[in-house]
Amino acid sequence: MNERIETIGVLLGDYLVDVAVRIWEPKDSKSAVICIHGFASTSQDFAPLAETLIKSGITVIAPDMFGRGQSTFFGRPEAYNLQNQMIAIAVTKRYQKEKTCHLGSSWGALLMLLHVATQNWMTSGLILNDCPISNDANTNRIGKFLTAEATRIFPTWNEAEEYVLTSRRMHFLTGNWKNRYVASMLRKVDDGWRMNYDPSVIGNLVEKEYSCERLLKEAPKPVLLNFGSDSCYANDPRLIEITRKNPNITFLNSMTEAHPPSLMKPDQILTIAGYLGQCMG
């Protein structure tokens, strides 16, 4: 698969930091999708999706957000503010094509919605995968889970691998896909392995107040609100109201996973590819 990683230097105040951008680019591509991963994930999540999309001539662009994967770890909670995360997304503009869609998963969906909205909705279409409309007991529960996970040390690779596959319900992955996914999710430390995100990012997650209801009701471009069939967010009654008020919104909650759909299973990949095809004409 035609994949590369480019490291982009970004000046934040007096510090030069890195944003690692994973790119899958077919020859003579004229369309692209920019993808933002979930809170405790990396750009590697989109590799299976990219394998299919590049066959249709679509370039896939996915940065590691600050404090994840191969991008800079700040080690300070205050550095992981919303403004800095928006800068990490902004570097992807250099890779955009004639037609560009945007996709975000979970926490990444919130960031992508904000990015697109503050860029005057310059997108051919937006996919929000398991995006909570606002913070609630579910988002706070997940935040507390990640708080405990962030500093957990696994003494052996096998123990760490099993934790990743079980906690993320990824046992359906096999062979190279499984190996690549697990490797992307773990980081070596002196006394073993831990998850591949900076524990300091937690300081800007738990119990933050937000709501994206108005942005969705006013969205002027096609938006797919995609949820797993058992998602804790899919039963929010505001989703029905948003879909009723805005004809640009498509609501889907049939993917056979809870929070969030991995977008790595064949049926999920085909659903996303089909929607992108509609948006890009």
Side-chain angles (χ1 to χ4, degrees), residues 58-188:
I58 300 174
T59 295
V60 180
I61 304 147
D64 286 337
M65 299 302 287
F66 287 128
R68 288 89 172 167
Q70 298 182 41
S71 291
T72 295
F73 282 40
F74 297 134
R76 296 177 291 111
E78 65 274 13
Y80 294 108
N81 57 59
L82 183 58
Q83 182 178 9
N84 285 347
Q85 298 295 5
M86 290 295 102
I87 290 172
I89 300 176
V91 304
T92 63
K93 288 182 180 180
R94 67 188 67 193
Y95 303 110
Q96 291 187 174
K97 303 293 183 179
E98 293 177 15
K99 294 182 179 180
T100 298
C101 289
H102 296 77
L103 184 157
S105 188
S106 190
W107 170 80
L110 291 171
L111 295 184
M112 188 59 92
L113 174 60
L114 291 174
H115 170 75
V116 170
T118 56
Q119 299 298 311
N120 199 29
W121 290 88
M122 295 179 63
T123 184
S124 296
L126 175 62
I127 298 173
L128 302 178
N129 185 43
D130 210 60
C131 180
I133 302 302
S134 62
N135 64 309
D136 58 13
N138 290 309
T139 54
N140 293 335
R141 172 180 53 80
I142 293 167
K144 291 175 181 177
F145 166 80
L146 293 171
T147 299
E149 177 186 81
T151 55
R152 182 174 177 180
I153 303 296
F154 303 92
T156 68
W157 174 267
N158 287 342
E159 184 179 347
E161 178 183 68
E162 182 58 29
Y163 175 82
V164 167
L165 294 175
T166 300
S167 64
R168 271 59 180 178
R169 289 176 294 180
M170 290 292 184
H171 280 289
F172 66 87
L173 292 175
T174 60
N176 188 49
W177 283 134
K178 182 191 78 170
N179 296 336
R180 290 183 60 180
Y181 175 74
V182 172
S184 74
M185 293 291 286
L186 296 172
R187 174 175 289 257
K188 187 72 175 71

